[in-house]
Amino acid sequence: MACSTTLHASILKLLIIFLFAGWVSLWLLKPTQIWTRKWKQAEDSANDTIFGYYGLSFAVYAFPIIAIAIIGLLLLDLKAGYQRSRSARSTPSKSNFFSNPLVVNTTLGILSSIEILIAFLFIVFLAWTYYSRIYTDFKKLMPYKSLKLNTWQLKYHRIATRFGLLAEACMALLLLPILRGLAVFRILGIQFEASVRYHTWIGTAMILFATIHGASTLLVWGVSHHIEDEIWKWQKTGRIYLAGEIALVVGLVIWVTSLPQIRRRKFEIFYYTHHLYAVFLVLFLFHVGDRHFYTVFPGIFLFSLDKLIRIIQSSPKTCMVSARIFPGRALELILPKDPGMKYNPTSVIFLKIPTISHLQWHSFSIISSSRADDHILSVIIKCEGWWTNSLYDLIHAELDKTADKRKGIPIAIEGPYGPASLDFLRYDTLLLVAGGSGITPFLSILAEADSATNKSRFPSRIQLVYVIKKAQDFCLLHPISHLLLNQSTEKFHLNLKLFVTQETQAEVGIRELLNEFFKVRTLQVNSMCSNYAAYGPESPSWMAAITGFCSITFLIFVICFNHIIIPSGKRSKMAKEKTPSWVVDLLLIAAFVLALAFSASVAAILRWRRLRKGIPQISHREIQPLDLSSAEARNALEDHEVHFGGRPNFKDIFGKLHDESDGSNIGVLVCGPESMKESVAFACQQESECFKASGKRTESCFTFHTLNFTL
């Protein structure tokens, strides 16, 4: 069975590599004259067939990425089954060291070797595309009939136009990193919360090129005294300038409001203005025309379908089972889930609470294990913004009521989304470094390790370095309090190093801090405000089927609309050329909307078929009272360290762990502020060499991974 699974996985991987290589080759050939001639001939031949040039464009430009997404989903489903059946740790290979940090810089962040290589290749591709286009343009410089430009104005106008094509190349990749259910990047082991940064980089590059394109074009119109004639022009055919100008303004608004200074302080402004992407995409289509739009269509297609499926998956709403209120304005929400919903540690869910906002979704790391808890999942929320503070006040108000007057709080759940494989299982030792709310992904890892029945699947030793500002934040470790006292079975050894940076307290140790757990208050609410528990997304195989159905439906609609509305045949060539380009664009939009509607119907049927009336009986999970007087607890407390008034010295921590774990594989996971991640990455960079020139390992090997507890 394992051999068959491996064979099928290898075949799917080869198909993905073949399709991706073909798609990349297409983009490399696109700027050349050879491709231009061959493509023109192919379009002329396709116009005489039922598929038309639009069918050809879809098959060549859009189909490879959509097919990669479909095959990738099947591969992920196959890997998930194989992962569940695997029972032993694996040994990291040399390829793992590509994930280790190569550059640690405050401005650039933490970059691995593979990230730098891919960024370099993308820059080379952009340079090649631009050079090829400009070289051909200058070689065959043709004046515009409508614009009387001299030579330098004509050259500068061509330069501006080609910057628009660079923006188009970035646009082709822009939406792929932020897919959730149909995540193409998951095939490479890149999770959604990490790939958001690639979306930011690509979006910034796209806006830069689009701004140069638009500003330079306006400059040429201005110096040639054509700006008043051209700026308001909505052409019947060809490039629609007004649509491009509005699209650029909308894009700049989206980019400016997504800057960290605004996103972190005024999240609502960032969140709502980001939804202008729909306006931007429609105007982009009108500006470039349907022929160019097909080159960026795969990302738009997958993103739109992904968004629609997520809306269906997050309905109907459920209610939380209970909540815990920690000192320091932190909450633990306990939510009902179907026993069949499984997820891996470090998974993320998105929550919407209509009582607070009907539009806002916020992401949180799951702290529970689906292996240990069949009917519930938990998240911890540190209340620091308007939305989270509103949730805290809402729950606190319910806590002040009598039990018979408490009402359930409706919650919509989307997800969970998480890693396709349990990579952290392959290490002999884990070093977990967390700052503040960054502890939440690690709580799920510890819960999973605690619930495991097979000891060989998990690291034998876990060291947790937790950095907090105030001692009261220690309460976030409440869900693993029994592990700190070693009250579970001997599956792994847990060692805690706690650093409290903004307080100095003499003679306060782990025992005194554990007393803070007694201040935690629990709220039991009426969970029967809804008949549904969280069921999670559809299986990857069903998602692949829906994606294939949507792509076929779209192609059928776009062919039918074009043959019915736009004249066909050689005799109608003149009539076709006189058809306004925006009519063709509207047909493409209509075909896409109808394809999405049909696919949404299929997804809704699948969704409602899975839902079963009635939330299963849920016993409220209670953490056993702490017994700090037992000999076992006293011995366990001696292994933990508490430091006040300072930050950890990661060089010393790595060096000590290196000496204690000679020859073992050590996984380093960090989640917290960027400055902490950079410090850990730098320390890991200094200690990560574990191969000699001969390729034989002689000392402990550190492998770096970074996580985000929210987006």
Side-chain angles (χ1 to χ4, degrees), residues 302-366:
L302 292 174
F303 177 79
S304 302
L305 183 59
D306 183 74
K307 181 80 172 178
L308 200 59
I309 291 174
R310 289 191 281 115
I311 292 173
I312 295 171
Q313 181 251 309
S314 61
S315 300
K317 295 182 289 293
T318 185
C319 290
M320 71 179 182
V321 175
S322 60
R324 293 191 180 94
I325 301 180
F326 301 137
R329 296 185 70 85
L331 301 169
E332 179 184 357
L333 301 186
I334 300 169
L335 310 168
K337 82 171 187 68
D338 183 77
M341 188 180 82
K342 302 297 180 182
Y343 51 85
N344 285 331
T346 73
S347 292
V348 173
I349 60 171
F350 289 77
L351 300 181
K352 180 181 72 172
I353 301 181
T355 308
I356 300 175
S357 172
H358 287 280
L359 298 175
Q360 287 193 38
W361 291 86
H362 293 263
S363 63
F364 301 98
S365 294
I366 301 175

Side-chain angles (χ1 to χ4, degrees), residues 184-245:
V184 177
F185 277 39
R186 288 180 64 200
I187 304 170
L188 304 174
I190 302 172
Q191 296 311 304
F192 174 75
E193 61 271 19
S195 60
V196 166
R197 138 170 108 157
Y198 307 140
H199 169 74
T200 303
W201 292 349
I202 296 169
T204 301
M206 184 196 74
I207 289 298
L208 173 63
F209 296 140
T211 303
I212 296 174
H213 165 66
S216 299
T217 302
L218 291 174
L219 178 62
V220 172
W221 289 348
V223 297
S224 61
H225 307 290
H226 291 93
I227 191 166
E228 293 183 359
D229 299 329
E230 300 293 333
I231 195 170
W232 303 110
K233 186 180 293 185
W234 186 283
Q235 303 91 302
K236 187 176 181 181
T237 58
R239 304 288 179 269
I240 298 177
Y241 298 141
L242 183 59
E245 294 155 11

Side-chain angles (χ1 to χ4, degrees), residues 216-505:
S216 299
T217 302
L218 291 174
L219 178 62
V220 172
W221 289 348
V223 297
S224 61
H225 307 290
H226 291 93
I227 191 166
E228 293 183 359
D229 299 329
E230 300 293 333
I231 195 170
W232 303 110
K233 186 180 293 185
W234 186 283
Q235 303 91 302
K236 187 176 181 181
T237 58
R239 304 288 179 269
I240 298 177
Y241 298 141
L242 183 59
E245 294 155 11
I246 301 174
L248 177 59
V249 172
V250 172
L252 285 170
V253 170
I254 294 174
W255 179 77
V256 169
T257 55
S258 65
L259 294 173
Q261 295 84 347
I262 297 178
R263 187 180 71 248
R264 292 170 183 168
R265 297 177 183 177
K266 300 290 183 180
F267 179 81
E268 289 75 21
I269 295 176
F270 155 76
Y271 182 81
Y272 292 123
T273 54
H274 233 65
H275 284 77
L276 291 173
Y277 67 81
V279 177
F280 175 82
L281 292 176
V282 171
L283 292 170
F284 177 81
L285 168 61
F286 285 134
H287 176 58
V288 302
D290 66 322
R291 278 178 165 86
H292 279 269
F293 193 74
Y294 278 110
T295 61
V296 304
F297 186 65
I300 297 170
F301 175 90
L302 292 174
F303 177 79
S304 302
L305 183 59
D306 183 74
K307 181 80 172 178
L308 200 59
I309 291 174
R310 289 191 281 115
I311 292 173
I312 295 171
Q313 181 251 309
S314 61
S315 300
K317 295 182 289 293
T318 185
C319 290
M320 71 179 182
V321 175
S322 60
R324 293 191 180 94
I325 301 180
F326 301 137
R329 296 185 70 85
L331 301 169
E332 179 184 357
L333 301 186
I334 300 169
L335 310 168
K337 82 171 187 68
D338 183 77
M341 188 180 82
K342 302 297 180 182
Y343 51 85
N344 285 331
T346 73
S347 292
V348 173
I349 60 171
F350 289 77
L351 300 181
K352 180 181 72 172
I353 301 181
T355 308
I356 300 175
S357 172
H358 287 280
L359 298 175
Q360 287 193 38
W361 291 86
H362 293 263
S363 63
F364 301 98
S365 294
I366 301 175
I367 67 168
S368 56
S369 166
S370 60
R371 184 194 302 273
D373 299 312
D374 285 335
H375 299 296
I376 61 172
L377 61 85
S378 304
V379 297
I380 283 183
I381 301 172
K382 194 79 165 64
C383 303
E384 295 176 334
W386 171 80
W387 190 89
T388 52
N389 279 321
S390 299
L391 175 60
Y392 181 89
D393 294 339
L394 184 64
I395 292 177
H396 207 278
E398 290 295 322
L399 187 64
D400 294 337
K401 297 178 182 178
T402 58
D404 58 324
K405 293 184 178 180
R406 291 173 183 168
K407 297 180 180 179
I409 301 175
I411 298 179
I413 302 174
E414 182 196 319
Y417 305 110
S421 62
L422 306 178
D423 288 341
F424 60 86
L425 299 183
R426 64 177 183 249
Y427 302 109
D428 303 317
T429 301
L430 273 182
L431 174 60
L432 309 178
V433 182
S437 300
I439 190 64
T440 50
F442 300 146
L443 296 178
S444 64
I445 292 177
L446 294 171
E448 184 81 4
D450 184 45
S451 64
T453 56
N454 190 339
K455 182 179 177 181
S456 65
R457 293 190 62 186
F458 285 84
S460 57
R461 180 180 181 183
I462 299 177
Q463 184 170 113
L464 174 61
V465 178
Y466 188 30
V467 184
I468 54 179
K469 294 180 180 180
K470 298 181 180 179
Q472 64 183 8
D473 294 335
F474 179 74
C475 282
L476 296 186
L477 296 181
H478 184 263
I480 59 165
S481 56
H482 62 291
L483 295 179
L484 297 176
L485 296 177
N486 206 24
Q487 293 177 352
S488 62
T489 57
E490 288 290 339
K491 295 170 184 172
F492 61 91
H493 177 74
L494 175 64
N495 171 244
L496 170 66
K497 294 181 184 293
L498 181 70
F499 293 84
V500 185
T501 60
Q502 295 184 2
E503 290 182 359
T504 302
Q505 299 185 27

